[in-house]
Coordinates of all heavy atoms in Angstrom, one line a residue:
R1 N -72.5 44.8 19.7 CA -71.8 45.7 20.7 C -70.8 44.9 21.5 O -69.7 45.4 21.7 CB -72.9 46.3 21.6 CG -72.4 47.4 22.4 CD -73.6 48.1 23.0 NE -73.2 49.0 23.9 CZ -73.3 50.3 23.8 NH1 -73.7 50.8 22.7 NH2 -73.0 51.1 24.8
T2 N -71.1 43.7 21.9 CA -70.1 42.9 22.6 C -69.9 41.6 21.8 O -70.5 41.4 20.7 CB -70.7 42.5 24.0 OG1 -71.8 41.7 23.8 CG2 -71.0 43.7 24.8
W3 N -69.0 40.8 22.2 CA -68.7 39.6 21.4 C -69.9 38.6 21.6 O -70.1 37.8 20.7 CB -67.4 39.0 21.9 CG -67.4 38.3 23.2 CD1 -67.2 38.9 24.4 CD2 -67.6 36.9 23.4 NE1 -67.2 37.9 25.4 CE2 -67.5 36.7 24.8 CE3 -67.9 35.8 22.6 CZ2 -67.7 35.5 25.4 CZ3 -68.1 34.6 23.2 CH2 -68.0 34.4 24.6
W4 N -70.7 38.8 22.6 CA -71.9 37.9 22.7 C -72.9 38.3 21.7 O -73.5 37.5 21.1 CB -72.5 38.1 24.1 CG -71.8 37.4 25.2 CD1 -71.0 37.9 26.1 CD2 -71.8 36.0 25.5 NE1 -70.5 37.0 27.0 CE2 -71.0 35.7 26.6 CE3 -72.5 34.9 24.9 CZ2 -70.8 34.5 27.1 CZ3 -72.3 33.6 25.4 CH2 -71.5 33.4 26.5
H5 N -73.0 39.6 21.5 CA -73.9 40.1 20.4 C -73.5 39.6 19.1 O -74.3 39.1 18.3 CB -73.9 41.7 20.5 CG -75.0 42.3 19.6 ND1 -75.3 43.6 19.6 CD2 -75.8 41.8 18.7 CE1 -76.2 43.9 18.8 NE2 -76.5 42.8 18.1
A6 N -72.2 39.8 18.7 CA -71.7 39.3 17.5 C -71.9 37.8 17.4 O -72.2 37.3 16.3 CB -70.3 39.7 17.3
G7 N -71.6 37.1 18.4 CA -71.7 35.7 18.4 C -73.1 35.2 18.2 O -73.4 34.2 17.5
F8 N -74.1 35.9 18.8 CA -75.5 35.5 18.6 C -75.9 35.7 17.1 O -76.5 34.8 16.6 CB -76.4 36.4 19.5 CG -77.8 36.2 19.2 CD1 -78.5 35.1 19.7 CD2 -78.6 37.1 18.5 CE1 -79.8 34.8 19.5 CE2 -79.9 36.9 18.3 CZ -80.5 35.7 18.8
H9 N -75.5 36.8 16.5 CA -75.8 37.0 15.1 C -75.1 36.0 14.2 O -75.7 35.6 13.2 CB -75.5 38.4 14.7 CG -76.5 39.4 15.3 ND1 -77.8 39.4 14.9 CD2 -76.4 40.4 16.2 CE1 -78.5 40.4 15.5 NE2 -77.6 41.0 16.3
L10 N -73.9 35.7 14.5 CA -73.2 34.8 13.6 C -73.8 33.4 13.8 O -73.9 32.6 12.8 CB -71.7 34.7 14.0 CG -70.8 35.8 13.4 CD1 -69.4 35.7 14.0 CD2 -70.8 35.7 11.9
T11 N -74.2 33.0 15.0 CA -74.8 31.7 15.2 C -76.1 31.6 14.5 O -76.4 30.6 13.9 CB -75.0 31.5 16.7 OG1 -73.7 31.6 17.4 CG2 -75.6 30.1 17.0
T12 N -76.9 32.6 14.6 CA -78.2 32.6 13.9 C -78.0 32.5 12.4 O -78.8 32.0 11.6 CB -79.1 33.7 14.3 OG1 -78.5 34.9 14.0 CG2 -79.5 33.6 15.7
A13 N -76.9 33.1 11.9 CA -76.6 33.1 10.5 C -76.1 31.7 10.0 O -76.4 31.3 8.9 CB -75.6 34.2 10.1
I14 N -75.3 31.1 10.9 CA -74.7 29.8 10.5 C -75.7 28.7 10.8 O -75.8 27.8 10.0 CB -73.4 29.6 11.4 CG1 -72.4 30.6 10.9 CG2 -72.9 28.2 11.2 CD1 -71.2 30.6 11.9
V15 N -76.4 28.8 11.9 CA -77.3 27.7 12.3 C -78.6 27.9 11.6 O -79.3 28.8 11.8 CB -77.5 27.7 13.8 CG1 -78.5 26.6 14.2 CG2 -76.2 27.4 14.5
G16 N -78.9 27.0 10.7 CA -80.1 27.1 9.9 C -80.4 25.7 9.4 O -80.2 24.7 10.1
P17 N -80.9 25.6 8.2 CA -81.3 24.3 7.7 C -80.0 23.4 7.6 O -80.1 22.2 7.7 CB -81.8 24.6 6.3 CG -82.3 26.0 6.4 CD -81.4 26.6 7.4
T18 N -78.8 24.0 7.5 CA -77.6 23.1 7.3 C -77.3 22.4 8.6 O -76.7 21.3 8.6 CB -76.4 24.0 6.9 OG1 -76.3 25.1 7.9 CG2 -76.6 24.6 5.6
V19 N -77.7 22.9 9.8 CA -77.4 22.2 11.0 C -78.2 20.9 11.1 O -77.8 20.0 11.8 CB -77.7 23.1 12.2 CG1 -79.2 23.2 12.6 CG2 -76.9 22.6 13.4
L20 N -79.3 20.8 10.4 CA -80.0 19.5 10.4 C -79.3 18.4 9.7 O -79.6 17.2 9.9 CB -81.4 19.7 9.7 CG -82.3 20.8 10.4 CD1 -83.6 21.0 9.6 CD2 -82.7 20.3 11.8
T21 N -78.3 18.7 8.8 CA -77.5 17.7 8.2 C -76.3 17.3 9.0 O -75.6 16.4 8.6 CB -77.1 18.2 6.8 OG1 -76.2 19.3 7.0 CG2 -78.3 18.6 5.9
L22 N -76.0 18.0 10.1 CA -74.8 17.7 10.9 C -74.8 16.3 11.4 O -73.8 15.6 11.2 CB -74.7 18.7 12.0 CG -73.4 18.6 12.8 CD1 -72.2 18.9 11.9 CD2 -73.5 19.6 13.9
P23 N -75.9 15.7 12.0 CA -75.8 14.3 12.4 C -75.6 13.3 11.3 O -74.8 12.4 11.5 CB -77.2 14.1 13.1 CG -77.7 15.4 13.4 CD -77.1 16.4 12.4
Y24 N -76.1 13.6 10.2 CA -75.9 12.7 9.0 C -74.5 12.8 8.5 O -73.9 11.8 8.2 CB -76.9 13.1 7.9 CG -76.7 12.3 6.7 CD1 -77.2 10.9 6.6 CD2 -76.0 12.8 5.5 CE1 -77.0 10.2 5.5 CE2 -75.8 12.0 4.4 CZ -76.3 10.7 4.4 OH -76.1 9.9 3.3
A25 N -73.9 14.0 8.5 CA -72.6 14.2 8.1 C -71.5 13.5 9.0 O -70.5 13.0 8.6 CB -72.2 15.7 7.9
L26 N -71.8 13.6 10.3 CA -70.9 13.1 11.3 C -71.1 11.6 11.6 O -70.3 10.9 12.2 CB -71.0 13.9 12.6 CG -70.6 15.3 12.6 CD1 -70.8 16.0 13.9 CD2 -69.2 15.5 12.1
R27 N -72.2 11.0 11.1 CA -72.6 9.6 11.4 C -71.5 8.7 10.9 O -71.1 7.8 11.6 CB -73.9 9.3 10.8 CG -74.3 7.9 11.0 CD -75.6 7.6 10.4 NE -75.5 7.6 8.9 CZ -76.4 7.2 8.1 NH1 -77.5 6.8 8.5 NH2 -76.1 7.3 6.8
G28 N -71.0 8.9 9.7 CA -70.1 8.0 9.1 C -68.7 8.1 9.6 O -67.8 7.3 9.3
M29 N -68.4 9.2 10.3 CA -67.0 9.5 10.8 C -66.6 8.7 12.0 O -65.4 8.5 12.3 CB -66.8 10.9 11.0 CG -66.9 11.8 9.8 SD -66.6 13.5 10.3 CE -67.4 14.3 9.0
G30 N -67.6 8.3 12.8 CA -67.2 7.7 14.1 C -67.1 8.7 15.2 O -67.1 9.9 15.0
W31 N -66.9 8.2 16.4 CA -66.9 9.1 17.6 C -65.6 10.0 17.6 O -65.7 11.2 17.8 CB -66.9 8.3 18.9 CG -68.3 7.9 19.3 CD1 -68.9 6.7 19.1 CD2 -69.3 8.7 19.9 NE1 -70.2 6.7 19.5 CE2 -70.4 7.9 20.1 CE3 -69.3 10.0 20.4 CZ2 -71.6 8.4 20.7 CZ3 -70.4 10.5 21.0 CH2 -71.6 9.7 21.1
A32 N -64.5 9.4 17.4 CA -63.2 10.2 17.5 C -63.1 11.3 16.5 O -63.0 12.5 16.8 CB -62.0 9.3 17.4
L33 N -63.3 11.0 15.2 CA -63.2 12.0 14.2 C -64.3 13.0 14.2 O -64.1 14.2 14.0 CB -63.1 11.3 12.8 CG -62.9 12.2 11.6 CD1 -61.6 13.0 11.8 CD2 -62.8 11.4 10.3
G34 N -65.5 12.5 14.5 CA -66.7 13.3 14.6 C -66.6 14.4 15.7 O -66.8 15.6 15.4
L35 N -66.1 14.0 16.9 CA -66.0 14.9 18.0 C -64.8 15.9 17.7 O -64.9 17.1 18.1 CB -65.8 14.2 19.3 CG -67.0 13.5 19.9 CD1 -66.7 12.8 21.1 CD2 -68.1 14.6 20.1
T36 N -63.8 15.4 17.0 CA -62.6 16.3 16.7 C -63.0 17.3 15.7 O -62.7 18.5 15.9 CB -61.5 15.4 16.1 OG1 -61.1 14.4 17.0 CG2 -60.3 16.3 15.8
L37 N -63.8 17.0 14.7 CA -64.2 18.0 13.7 C -65.2 18.9 14.3 O -65.3 20.1 14.0 CB -64.8 17.3 12.5 CG -63.7 16.6 11.6 CD1 -64.4 15.9 10.4 CD2 -62.7 17.6 11.1
L38 N -66.1 18.4 15.2 CA -67.1 19.3 15.8 C -66.4 20.3 16.7 O -66.8 21.5 16.8 CB -68.1 18.4 16.6 CG -69.3 19.1 17.1 CD1 -70.1 19.6 15.9 CD2 -70.2 18.1 17.9
S39 N -65.4 19.8 17.5 CA -64.6 20.8 18.3 C -63.8 21.8 17.4 O -63.8 23.0 17.8 CB -63.6 20.0 19.1 OG -64.3 19.1 20.0
A40 N -63.3 21.4 16.3 CA -62.6 22.3 15.4 C -63.6 23.3 14.9 O -63.3 24.5 14.8 CB -62.0 21.6 14.3
M41 N -64.8 22.9 14.5 CA -65.8 23.9 14.0 C -66.2 24.9 15.1 O -66.4 26.0 14.9 CB -67.1 23.1 13.5 CG -66.8 22.4 12.2 SD -68.3 21.7 11.5 CE -68.5 20.2 12.5
A42 N -66.3 24.4 16.4 CA -66.6 25.3 17.5 C -65.5 26.3 17.7 O -65.8 27.5 18.0 CB -66.8 24.5 18.8
A43 N -64.3 25.9 17.6 CA -63.1 26.8 17.8 C -63.1 27.8 16.7 O -62.9 29.0 16.9 CB -61.8 26.0 17.7
V44 N -63.4 27.5 15.4 CA -63.5 28.4 14.3 C -64.6 29.4 14.5 O -64.4 30.6 14.3 CB -63.6 27.7 13.0 CG1 -64.0 28.6 11.9 CG2 -62.4 26.9 12.6
T45 N -65.7 28.9 15.0 CA -66.9 29.8 15.3 C -66.5 30.8 16.4 O -66.8 32.0 16.3 CB -68.1 29.0 15.7 OG1 -68.4 28.1 14.6 CG2 -69.3 29.9 15.9
L46 N -65.9 30.4 17.5 CA -65.5 31.3 18.5 C -64.5 32.3 18.0 O -64.5 33.5 18.4 CB -64.9 30.5 19.7 CG -65.9 29.8 20.5 CD1 -65.3 28.9 21.6 CD2 -66.9 30.8 21.2
Y47 N -63.6 31.9 17.1 CA -62.6 32.8 16.6 C -63.3 33.9 15.7 O -63.0 35.1 15.7 CB -61.6 32.1 15.7 CG -60.5 32.9 15.1 CD1 -59.6 33.7 15.9 CD2 -60.4 33.1 13.7 CE1 -58.7 34.5 15.3 CE2 -59.5 33.9 13.1 CZ -58.6 34.6 13.9 OH -57.7 35.4 13.4
E48 N -64.3 33.4 14.9 CA -65.1 34.4 14.2 C -65.8 35.4 15.1 O -65.9 36.6 14.7 CB -66.2 33.6 13.3 CG -65.6 32.9 12.2 CD -66.6 32.0 11.5 OE1 -67.8 32.0 11.9 OE2 -66.3 31.4 10.5
Y49 N -66.3 34.9 16.2 CA -67.0 35.8 17.2 C -66.0 36.9 17.6 O -66.4 38.1 17.7 CB -67.4 35.0 18.4 CG -68.6 34.1 18.2 CD1 -69.0 33.3 19.3 CD2 -69.3 34.0 17.0 CE1 -70.0 32.4 19.1 CE2 -70.4 33.2 16.9 CZ -70.7 32.3 17.9 OH -71.8 31.5 17.8
S50 N -64.8 36.5 18.0 CA -63.9 37.5 18.5 C -63.5 38.5 17.4 O -63.3 39.7 17.6 CB -62.6 36.8 19.0 OG -61.9 36.2 18.0
L51 N -63.3 38.0 16.1 CA -63.0 38.9 15.0 C -64.1 39.9 14.8 O -63.9 41.1 14.6 CB -62.7 38.1 13.8 CG -61.3 37.4 13.7 CD1 -61.2 36.6 12.4 CD2 -60.2 38.3 13.9
M52 N -65.3 39.4 14.7 CA -66.5 40.3 14.5 C -66.6 41.3 15.6 O -66.9 42.5 15.3 CB -67.7 39.4 14.4 CG -68.9 40.3 14.0 SD -68.9 41.0 12.4 CE -69.0 39.6 11.3
S53 N -66.4 40.9 16.8 CA -66.5 41.8 17.9 C -65.4 42.9 17.8 O -65.7 44.1 18.1 CB -66.3 41.1 19.2 OG -66.3 42.0 20.3
R54 N -64.2 42.6 17.4 CA -63.2 43.6 17.3 C -63.5 44.6 16.2 O -63.3 45.8 16.3 CB -61.8 42.9 17.0 CG -61.2 42.2 18.1 CD -59.9 41.6 17.8 NE -59.4 40.9 18.9 CZ -58.2 40.3 18.9 NH1 -57.4 40.4 17.8 NH2 -57.7 39.7 20.0
V55 N -64.0 44.1 15.1 CA -64.4 45.0 13.9 C -65.5 45.9 14.4 O -65.5 47.1 14.1 CB -64.7 44.2 12.7 CG1 -65.3 45.1 11.6 CG2 -63.5 43.4 12.1
L56 N -66.5 45.4 15.1 CA -67.6 46.2 15.5 C -67.1 47.3 16.5 O -67.6 48.4 16.4 CB -68.7 45.3 16.1 CG -69.5 44.5 15.2 CD1 -70.4 43.5 15.9 CD2 -70.4 45.4 14.3
D57 N -66.2 46.9 17.4 CA -65.7 47.8 18.4 C -64.9 48.9 17.7 O -64.9 50.1 18.0 CB -64.8 47.1 19.4 CG -65.6 46.3 20.4 OD1 -66.9 46.6 20.5 OD2 -65.0 45.4 21.1
H58 N -64.1 48.5 16.7 CA -63.3 49.5 15.9 C -64.2 50.5 15.2 O -63.9 51.7 15.3 CB -62.4 48.7 14.9 CG -61.6 49.6 14.1 ND1 -60.5 50.3 14.5 CD2 -61.7 49.9 12.8 CE1 -60.0 51.0 13.5 NE2 -60.7 50.8 12.5
C59 N -65.2 50.0 14.6 CA -66.1 50.9 13.8 C -66.8 51.8 14.8 O -67.0 53.0 14.5 CB -67.1 50.1 13.0 SG -66.3 49.4 11.5
E60 N -67.3 51.3 15.9 CA -68.0 52.1 16.9 C -67.1 53.1 17.5 O -67.6 54.3 17.8 CB -68.6 51.2 18.0 CG -69.6 51.9 18.9 CD -70.3 51.0 19.8 OE1 -70.2 49.8 19.6 OE2 -70.9 51.5 20.8
A61 N -65.8 52.8 17.7 CA -64.9 53.8 18.3 C -64.7 55.0 17.3 O -64.4 56.1 17.8 CB -63.6 53.2 18.6
R62 N -64.9 54.8 16.0 CA -64.8 55.8 15.0 C -66.1 56.5 14.8 O -66.2 57.3 13.9 CB -64.2 55.3 13.7 CG -62.8 54.8 13.8 CD -62.3 54.2 12.5 NE -60.9 53.9 12.7 CZ -60.1 54.1 11.7 NH1 -60.5 54.6 10.5 NH2 -58.8 53.8 11.9
G63 N -67.1 56.2 15.6 CA -68.4 56.9 15.5 C -69.4 56.3 14.5 O -70.4 56.9 14.2
R64 N -69.1 55.1 14.0 CA -70.0 54.4 13.0 C -70.5 53.1 13.7 O -69.8 52.1 13.6 CB -69.2 54.1 11.7 CG -68.7 55.4 11.1 CD -68.0 55.1 9.8 NE -67.1 54.0 9.8 CZ -65.8 54.2 9.8 NH1 -65.3 55.4 9.8 NH2 -64.9 53.1 9.9
R65 N -71.7 53.2 14.2 CA -72.3 52.0 14.8 C -73.2 51.3 13.8 O -74.0 51.9 13.1 CB -73.1 52.4 16.0 CG -73.6 51.2 16.7 CD -74.1 51.5 18.1 NE -74.5 50.3 18.8 CZ -75.7 50.1 19.4 NH1 -76.5 51.1 19.4 NH2 -75.9 49.0 20.0
H66 N -73.0 50.0 13.6 CA -73.7 49.2 12.6 C -74.7 48.2 13.3 O -74.3 47.6 14.3 CB -72.7 48.4 11.7 CG -71.8 49.3 11.0 ND1 -72.1 50.2 10.1 CD2 -70.4 49.5 11.2 CE1 -71.0 50.8 9.7 NE2 -70.0 50.4 10.3
I67 N -75.9 48.2 12.7 CA -76.9 47.2 13.2 C -76.9 46.0 12.4 O -77.1 44.9 12.9 CB -78.2 47.9 13.3 CG1 -78.2 49.1 14.2 CG2 -79.3 47.0 13.7 CD1 -79.4 50.0 14.2
R68 N -76.7 46.1 11.1 CA -76.7 45.0 10.2 C -75.4 44.6 9.7 O -74.5 45.5 9.5 CB -77.7 45.3 9.1 CG -79.1 45.5 9.5 CD -80.0 45.9 8.3 NE -81.3 46.2 8.8 CZ -81.7 47.4 9.2 NH1 -80.8 48.4 9.3 NH2 -82.9 47.6 9.6
F69 N -75.1 43.3 9.4 CA -73.9 42.9 8.9 C -73.6 43.5 7.5 O -72.5 43.7 7.1 CB -73.8 41.4 8.8 CG -73.6 40.8 10.2 CD1 -74.4 39.8 10.6 CD2 -72.5 41.2 11.0 CE1 -74.3 39.2 11.9 CE2 -72.4 40.6 12.2 CZ -73.2 39.7 12.7
R70 N -74.7 43.7 6.7 CA -74.5 44.3 5.4 C -73.9 45.7 5.5 O -73.1 46.1 4.7 CB -75.9 44.3 4.7 CG -75.8 44.9 3.3 CD -77.1 44.8 2.6 NE -77.3 43.4 2.3 CZ -78.3 43.0 1.6 NH1 -79.2 43.8 1.0 NH2 -78.5 41.7 1.4
E71 N -74.4 46.5 6.5 CA -73.8 47.8 6.7 C -72.4 47.8 7.1 O -71.5 48.5 6.6 CB -74.6 48.6 7.7 CG -76.1 48.8 7.4 CD -76.9 49.3 8.6 OE1 -76.3 49.4 9.7 OE2 -78.0 49.7 8.4
L72 N -72.1 46.8 8.0 CA -70.7 46.6 8.4 C -69.8 46.3 7.2 O -68.7 46.8 7.1 CB -70.6 45.6 9.5 CG -69.2 45.3 10.0 CD1 -68.6 46.5 10.7 CD2 -69.3 44.1 11.0
A73 N -70.2 45.3 6.4 CA -69.4 44.9 5.3 C -69.2 46.0 4.3 O -68.1 46.2 3.7 CB -70.1 43.7 4.6
A74 N -70.2 46.8 4.1 CA -70.1 48.0 3.1 C -69.2 49.0 3.7 O -68.4 49.6 2.9 CB -71.5 48.6 2.9
D75 N -69.1 49.2 5.0 CA -68.2 50.1 5.6 C -66.8 49.6 5.5 O -65.9 50.4 5.3 CB -68.6 50.4 7.1 CG -67.8 51.5 7.7 OD1 -67.3 52.4 7.0 OD2 -67.7 51.5 9.0
V76 N -66.6 48.4 5.8 CA -65.2 47.8 5.8 C -64.7 47.6 4.4 O -63.6 48.0 4.1 CB -65.2 46.5 6.6 CG1 -63.9 45.8 6.5 CG2 -65.5 46.8 8.1
L77 N -65.5 47.0 3.5 CA -65.1 46.7 2.2 C -65.3 47.7 1.1 O -64.8 47.6 0.0 CB -65.7 45.3 1.8 CG -65.4 44.1 2.7 CD1 -66.3 42.9 2.3 CD2 -64.0 43.8 2.7
G78 N -66.2 48.6 1.4 CA -66.6 49.6 0.4 C -67.9 49.1 -0.3 O -68.3 48.0 -0.2
K79 N -68.5 50.0 -1.1 CA -69.8 49.6 -1.7 C -69.6 48.9 -3.0 O -68.7 49.1 -3.7 CB -70.6 50.9 -1.9 CG -71.0 51.5 -0.5 CD -72.1 52.5 -0.7 CE -72.4 52.9 0.7 NZ -73.7 53.5 0.9

């Protein structure tokens, strides 16, 4: 419903077992490159939040409220 709602769902979809490998992946990069890439990933995630929120608002304005991302994808992309 809001960008927080979309952000929560995207975060739970992204953050999973793969987040456990993040320290290992950033270990060899050093502080500067590691923090730069981590900041870039955060910026991309926030951009995804805003896009998802806009799509959900657009569909809801047309009378189609979606609870699951699968329903949203089917509505936007077709079956």
Side-chain angles (χ1 to χ4, degrees):
R1 194 164 169 112
T2 64
W3 74 274
W4 284 102
H5 187 172
F8 175 77
H9 286 294
L10 280 174
T11 301
T12 57
I14 292 170
V15 177
T18 55
V19 79
L20 298 174
T21 63
L22 187 62
Y24 178 76
L26 296 179
R27 179 181 69 170
M29 293 183 204
W31 279 99
L33 185 58
L35 287 177
T36 301
L37 288 177
L38 194 59
S39 298
M41 288 186 282
V44 168
T45 302
L46 287 174
Y47 181 64
E48 289 174 357
Y49 290 173
S50 67
L51 287 179
M52 184 64 69
S53 178
R54 287 182 183 185
V55 170
L56 287 171
D57 288 343
H58 177 74
C59 288
E60 189 172 348
R62 292 180 174 218
R64 298 182 312 255
R65 186 164 184 233
H66 303 291
I67 298 173
R68 296 176 184 85
F69 286 127
R70 182 175 290 187
E71 295 170 358
L72 177 64
D75 188 24
V76 172
L77 302 173
K79 294 193 178 204

